[in-house]
Amino acid sequence: VCKAYTHLRRALPNMFQFVEHPDVPRTTAALESFFGQLKENISLHRGLSKRHCEEYVRWYLHFRHQTHIEKHK
């Protein structure tokens, strides 16, 4: 119980940032979904070397960023 109390006490100042900053999401669901999709895509390409996996992630992030930019033009 003591650890939980300490954890909440430390986190409390940052827990409600979305109230003052509407551009901050209320939950991490979108972020968790994004990394889940990335993890699933990487698992489809098993056998990639570490370097190729890093390059795959860079390209994945690049194309997702481009898609996001085009949606918000």
Side-chain angles (χ1 to χ4, degrees):
V1 174
C2 191
K3 276 188 176 184
Y5 172 76
T6 303
H7 183 72
L8 284 172
R9 200 175 98 231
R10 288 182 181 164
L12 197 57
N14 296 314
M15 286 179 72
F16 299 100
Q17 290 292 320
F18 66 91
V19 174
E20 294 178 19
H21 307 281
D23 55 326
V24 174
R26 292 176 180 230
T27 67
T28 59
L31 191 59
E32 291 173 14
S33 173
F34 173 79
F35 283 113
Q37 290 172 359
L38 176 59
K39 187 175 178 180
E40 184 178 327
N41 283 329
I42 290 172
S43 73
L44 292 174
H45 300 285
R46 44 182 188 251
L48 289 177
S49 68
K50 183 176 179 180
R51 186 176 73 80
H52 286 144
C53 186
E54 289 170 356
E55 289 297 320
Y56 179 83
V57 170
R58 281 191 189 100
W59 278 108
Y60 184 84
L61 293 174
H62 172 75
F63 286 121
R64 289 288 297 229
H65 181 71
Q66 292 295 8
T67 304
H68 180 74
I69 289 172
E70 290 175 6
K71 276 185 179 179
H72 293 90
K73 279 187 177 180

